[in-house]
Amino acid sequence: QVQLVESGGGSAPDGGSLRLSCTFSGYKYSSNCIGWLRQVAGKEREGVAAICTDGSATVYLASVKGRFTTVRDGAKNSADLQMTRLQPEDTAMYYCAIYPWAWHSDRNFPPSEYLDAVGQGTQVTVSS
């Protein structure tokens, strides 16, 4: 049974930085992708970034491109999301998710039904 655990959320000022980490275990596909999602209460969840095995097929939400960077550590079955120049609009619950490499894309985040598991989330709050 796959498990994902996020860490690193917290508070940051406008223009500040935070780094999120996601560690997973028990996933049946060695070629896989880690996606980062966020959700604000009352709004739909949106894909923020994704990266596949060996760092391939990265994709970013337009509003975070150039500010957020996601990297993989294959040896540790983990991924990080480095968030810089944070804005109050980035305030949300952030989740990591995992899906097979077969659904990878360098243009779009996969639909929710393609995600095999989603972590419990970590809160990010950016104050103005």
Side-chain angles (χ1 to χ4, degrees):
Q1 183 177 356
V2 59
Q3 289 187 322
L4 300 105
V5 178
E6 301 99 337
S7 61
S11 299
D14 190 353
S17 300
L18 284 172
R19 190 178 186 94
L20 306 183
S21 294
C22 173
T23 302
F24 67 91
S25 61
Y27 195 51
K28 58 185 175 180
Y29 298 116
S30 58
S31 294
N32 55 70
C33 304
I34 294 292
W36 295 94
L37 310 94
R38 67 187 182 187
Q39 187 169 25
V40 177
K43 294 188 177 181
E44 288 192 3
R45 191 169 61 183
E46 62 179 356
V48 175
I51 185 169
C52 297
T53 308
D54 297 328
S56 62
T58 54
V59 61
Y60 293 95
L61 183 68
S63 63
V64 308
K65 197 172 293 186
R67 300 189 297 119
F68 290 11
T69 303
T70 186
V71 295
R72 288 289 298 262
D73 185 335
K76 296 181 180 180
N77 279 353
S78 66
D80 287 355
L81 181 68
Q82 178 67 47
M83 305 183 292
T84 64
R85 290 185 283 145
L86 283 163
Q87 303 167 357
E89 306 85 81
D90 296 318
T91 295
M93 184 71 80
Y94 283 71
Y95 303 86
C96 65
I98 194 165
Y99 54 97
W101 188 86
W103 304 125
H104 81 282
S105 170
D106 58 2
R107 292 187 177 185
N108 301 302
F109 201 87
S112 295
E113 56 265 33
Y114 291 178
L115 306 178
D116 281 340
V118 181
Q120 82 286 353
T122 185
Q123 179 67 37
V124 170
T125 302
V126 184
S127 56
S128 57

